[in-house]
Coordinates of all heavy atoms in Angstrom, one line a residue:
E307 N 10.2 -14.1 18.9 CA 11.0 -13.6 20.0 C 11.6 -12.2 19.8 O 12.0 -11.4 20.7 CB 12.2 -14.6 20.3 CG 11.6 -15.9 20.9 CD 12.7 -17.0 20.9 OE1 13.9 -16.7 20.6 OE2 12.3 -18.1 21.3
S308 N 11.9 -11.9 18.5 CA 12.4 -10.6 18.2 C 11.4 -9.4 18.4 O 11.8 -8.3 18.3 CB 13.0 -10.6 16.8 OG 11.9 -10.6 15.8
G309 N 10.1 -9.8 18.4 CA 9.0 -8.9 18.6 C 8.0 -8.8 17.3 O 7.1 -8.2 17.3
T310 N 8.3 -9.7 16.4 CA 7.5 -9.8 15.2 C 6.0 -10.2 15.6 O 5.9 -11.1 16.3 CB 7.9 -10.7 14.2 OG1 9.2 -10.4 13.7 CG2 7.1 -10.8 13.0
E311 N 5.1 -9.4 15.2 CA 3.7 -9.6 15.5 C 2.9 -10.2 14.3 O 2.1 -11.1 14.4 CB 3.1 -8.2 16.0 CG 3.6 -7.8 17.3 CD 2.9 -6.5 17.7 OE1 2.3 -5.9 16.9 OE2 3.1 -6.1 18.9
I312 N 3.0 -9.6 13.1 CA 2.2 -9.9 12.0 C 3.0 -10.2 10.8 O 3.9 -9.5 10.4 CB 1.2 -8.8 11.7 CG1 0.4 -8.5 12.9 CG2 0.3 -9.2 10.5 CD1 -0.6 -7.3 12.8
L313 N 2.6 -11.2 10.0 CA 3.0 -11.6 8.7 C 1.9 -11.4 7.8 O 0.9 -12.1 8.0 CB 3.7 -13.1 8.6 CG 4.9 -13.4 9.4 CD1 5.2 -14.8 9.2 CD2 6.1 -12.4 9.1
H314 N 2.0 -10.5 6.8 CA 1.1 -10.4 5.7 C 1.2 -11.4 4.7 O 2.4 -11.5 4.0 CB 1.1 -9.0 5.2 CG 0.6 -7.9 6.1 ND1 -0.4 -7.1 5.9 CD2 1.1 -7.6 7.3 CE1 -0.6 -6.3 7.0 NE2 0.4 -6.6 7.8
V315 N 0.3 -12.3 4.4 CA 0.4 -13.4 3.4 C -0.5 -13.3 2.3 O -1.7 -13.0 2.5 CB 0.2 -14.7 4.2 CG1 0.6 -15.9 3.2 CG2 1.1 -14.9 5.4
G316 N 0.0 -13.5 1.0 CA -0.9 -13.5 -0.1 C -1.5 -14.8 -0.4 O -1.0 -15.6 -1.0
L317 N -2.7 -14.9 0.1 CA -3.5 -16.2 -0.1 C -4.1 -16.1 -1.6 O -4.1 -17.1 -2.2 CB -4.5 -16.4 1.0 CG -5.5 -17.5 0.8 CD1 -5.9 -18.0 2.3 CD2 -6.8 -17.2 0.0
E318 N -4.7 -15.1 -1.9 CA -5.2 -14.7 -3.2 C -6.5 -15.5 -3.6 O -7.5 -14.9 -3.8 CB -4.3 -14.9 -4.3 CG -2.8 -14.3 -4.1 CD -2.7 -13.0 -3.5 OE1 -3.7 -12.3 -3.3 OE2 -1.5 -12.6 -3.2
S319 N -6.4 -16.8 -3.5 CA -7.6 -17.5 -4.0 C -7.7 -19.0 -3.4 O -6.6 -19.6 -3.1 CB -7.7 -17.6 -5.5 OG -8.9 -18.4 -6.0
G320 N -8.8 -19.5 -3.3 CA -8.9 -20.9 -2.9 C -9.2 -21.9 -4.2 O -9.5 -23.0 -3.9
S321 N -9.1 -21.2 -5.2 CA -9.4 -22.0 -6.6 C -8.1 -22.4 -7.2 O -7.3 -21.5 -7.5 CB -10.2 -21.2 -7.6 OG -10.1 -21.7 -8.8
P322 N -7.8 -23.7 -7.4 CA -6.5 -24.0 -8.1 C -6.4 -23.4 -9.5 O -5.3 -23.0 -9.8 CB -6.6 -25.5 -8.2 CG -7.5 -25.9 -7.1 CD -8.5 -24.9 -6.9
R323 N -7.6 -23.2 -10.1 CA -7.5 -22.7 -11.5 C -7.1 -21.2 -11.4 O -6.3 -20.7 -12.2 CB -8.8 -22.8 -12.3 CG -8.7 -22.3 -13.7 CD -10.2 -22.5 -14.3 NE -10.9 -21.3 -13.8 CZ -10.9 -20.1 -14.3 NH1 -10.2 -19.8 -15.4 NH2 -11.9 -19.2 -13.8
I324 N -7.6 -20.5 -10.5 CA -7.3 -19.0 -10.3 C -5.9 -18.9 -9.9 O -5.1 -18.0 -10.4 CB -8.3 -18.4 -9.4 CG1 -9.6 -18.4 -9.9 CG2 -7.8 -16.9 -9.2 CD1 -9.9 -17.7 -11.2
L325 N -5.4 -19.7 -9.0 CA -4.0 -19.6 -8.6 C -3.0 -19.9 -9.7 O -2.0 -19.2 -9.9 CB -3.7 -20.7 -7.5 CG -4.3 -20.4 -6.1 CD1 -4.0 -21.5 -5.2 CD2 -3.7 -19.1 -5.5
A326 N -3.4 -20.9 -10.6 CA -2.6 -21.0 -11.8 C -2.6 -19.8 -12.7 O -1.6 -19.6 -13.3 CB -3.0 -22.4 -12.4
L327 N -3.8 -19.3 -12.9 CA -3.9 -18.1 -13.8 C -3.0 -17.0 -13.3 O -2.5 -16.2 -14.0 CB -5.4 -17.7 -13.8 CG -5.8 -16.5 -14.7 CD1 -5.6 -16.9 -16.3 CD2 -7.3 -16.2 -14.4
Y328 N -3.0 -16.8 -11.9 CA -2.2 -15.8 -11.4 C -0.7 -16.1 -11.3 O 0.0 -15.2 -11.0 CB -2.6 -15.6 -9.9 CG -3.9 -14.9 -9.6 CD1 -4.6 -14.9 -8.4 CD2 -4.6 -14.1 -10.7 CE1 -5.7 -14.2 -8.2 CE2 -5.7 -13.4 -10.5 CZ -6.3 -13.5 -9.2 OH -7.6 -12.9 -9.0
E329 N -0.3 -17.3 -11.7 CA 1.1 -17.7 -11.7 C 1.7 -17.6 -10.4 O 2.8 -17.1 -10.2 CB 1.9 -17.0 -12.8 CG 1.3 -17.2 -14.3 CD 2.1 -16.5 -15.2 OE1 3.3 -16.3 -15.0 OE2 1.5 -16.1 -16.2
K330 N 1.0 -18.0 -9.3 CA 1.5 -17.8 -7.9 C 2.6 -18.9 -7.6 O 3.4 -18.6 -6.7 CB 0.3 -18.0 -6.9 CG -0.6 -16.8 -6.8 CD 0.1 -15.6 -6.1 CE 0.4 -15.9 -4.7 NZ 1.0 -14.7 -4.0
G331 N 2.5 -20.0 -8.2 CA 3.5 -21.0 -7.9 C 3.3 -21.7 -6.7 O 4.2 -22.4 -6.1
V332 N 2.1 -21.7 -6.1 CA 1.6 -22.4 -4.8 C 0.3 -23.0 -5.1 O -0.4 -22.6 -6.0 CB 1.6 -21.5 -3.6 CG1 3.0 -20.9 -3.3 CG2 0.6 -20.3 -3.8
T333 N 0.0 -24.0 -4.2 CA -1.3 -24.6 -4.2 C -2.2 -24.4 -3.1 O -1.6 -23.7 -2.1 CB -1.1 -26.2 -4.3 OG1 -0.5 -26.5 -3.0 CG2 -0.2 -26.6 -5.5
V334 N -3.4 -24.7 -3.1 CA -4.3 -24.5 -1.9 C -3.7 -25.3 -0.7 O -3.7 -24.8 0.3 CB -5.7 -25.0 -2.3 CG1 -6.6 -25.1 -1.0 CG2 -6.3 -24.1 -3.4
E335 N -3.2 -26.5 -1.0 CA -2.7 -27.3 0.0 C -1.4 -26.7 0.7 O -1.2 -26.7 1.9 CB -2.3 -28.7 -0.5 CG -3.5 -29.6 -0.9 CD -4.1 -29.1 -2.1 OE1 -3.4 -28.4 -3.0 OE2 -5.3 -29.4 -2.4
D336 N -0.7 -26.0 -0.1 CA 0.6 -25.2 0.4 C 0.0 -24.1 1.4 O 0.6 -24.0 2.5 CB 1.2 -24.6 -0.7 CG 2.0 -25.5 -1.6 OD1 2.4 -26.6 -1.1 OD2 2.3 -25.2 -2.8
T337 N -1.0 -23.5 1.1 CA -1.6 -22.5 1.9 C -2.0 -23.0 3.2 O -1.7 -22.4 4.3 CB -2.6 -21.7 1.3 OG1 -2.2 -21.1 0.0 CG2 -3.3 -20.6 2.2
I338 N -2.6 -24.1 3.2 CA -3.2 -24.8 4.4 C -2.0 -25.2 5.3 O -2.0 -25.0 6.5 CB -4.0 -26.0 4.0 CG1 -5.4 -25.6 3.4 CG2 -4.4 -26.9 5.3 CD1 -6.2 -26.7 2.8
E339 N -1.0 -25.7 4.7 CA 0.2 -26.2 5.4 C 0.9 -25.0 6.1 O 1.3 -25.1 7.3 CB 1.1 -27.0 4.7 CG 2.5 -27.4 5.2 CD 2.2 -28.3 6.4 OE1 1.1 -28.9 6.6 OE2 3.2 -28.3 7.3
A340 N 1.1 -24.0 5.3 CA 1.7 -22.8 5.8 C 1.0 -22.2 7.0 O 1.6 -21.8 8.1 CB 2.0 -21.7 4.7
N341 N -0.3 -22.2 7.0 CA -1.1 -21.6 8.0 C -1.0 -22.5 9.2 O -0.9 -22.1 10.4 CB -2.6 -21.6 7.5 CG -3.5 -21.0 8.7 OD1 -3.3 -19.8 9.0 ND2 -4.4 -21.8 9.2
R342 N -0.9 -23.8 9.1 CA -0.8 -24.7 10.2 C 0.6 -24.5 10.8 O 0.7 -24.6 12.1 CB -0.8 -26.1 9.8 CG -2.3 -26.6 9.4 CD -2.3 -28.0 8.9 NE -3.7 -28.5 8.6 CZ -4.1 -29.4 7.8 NH1 -3.1 -30.2 7.3 NH2 -5.4 -29.8 7.7

Side-chain angles (χ1 to χ4, degrees):
E307 290 168 5
S308 70
T310 302
E311 294 180 344
I312 302 176
L313 297 180
H314 293 239
V315 185
L317 177 148
E318 318 311 0
S319 177
S321 161
R323 187 185 72 85
I324 297 296
L325 287 175
L327 184 65
Y328 285 166
E329 300 181 32
K330 282 292 291 185
V332 298
T333 65
V334 172
E335 291 72 24
D336 289 337
T337 300
I338 293 170
E339 176 58 26
N341 184 64
R342 286 174 176 167

